[in-house]
Amino acid sequence: TDKHCQGEFSKIINLGNEVLVYPNPVINDIIHITMNDVLDEQIRIRVLSYSGSQVMHKLAKPLNGQLSVDLGMLSKGNYILFIQAKDKS
């Protein structure tokens, strides 16, 4: 049609047992994490600086394997993200 921005389309594609973290780079201070094999159990999220200092630690429970994390308290830069659920990391 000749009209712009008529709506939004979203589709989730199951990638098996993989963990998907997006967007990279982060947009609007929020990252989204999809974990197909970790549906509703509590997970531990750790963010480290490149020097190895822990700059964020959070326990969270995803909803249907999906979780959004606010990273707005971090300065712009590169970080290392660790995600751990039970015996998986």
Side-chain angles (χ1 to χ4, degrees):
T1 71
D2 59 348
K3 297 180 182 178
H4 298 287
C5 293
Q6 293 186 20
E8 180 177 309
F9 175 76
S10 176
K11 183 175 182 180
I12 297 174
I13 300 171
N14 186 342
L15 298 174
N17 293 335
E18 295 183 21
V19 174
L20 180 63
V21 179
Y22 61 95
N24 186 8
V26 175
I27 298 172
N28 296 328
D29 298 330
I30 304 290
I31 60 168
H32 304 283
I33 302 170
T34 300
M35 301 153 288
N36 294 316
D37 61 342
V38 181
L39 293 180
D40 295 318
E41 66 185 60
Q42 188 169 10
I43 63 167
R44 172 180 292 170
I45 299 167
R46 293 176 44 217
V47 179
L48 282 76
S49 68
Y50 262 29
S51 66
S53 300
Q54 182 171 292
V55 294
M56 190 183 111
H57 177 261
K58 179 177 183 170
L59 296 175
K61 189 171 183 182
L63 180 60
N64 296 321
Q66 303 216 8
L67 180 67
S68 296
V69 180
D70 185 353
L71 301 176
M73 77 289 293
L74 301 177
S75 302
K76 288 185 179 185
N78 295 311
Y79 295 92
I80 302 166
L81 175 69
F82 287 97
I83 303 169
Q84 182 177 18
K86 285 189 179 179
D87 299 327
K88 302 171 187 172
S89 49

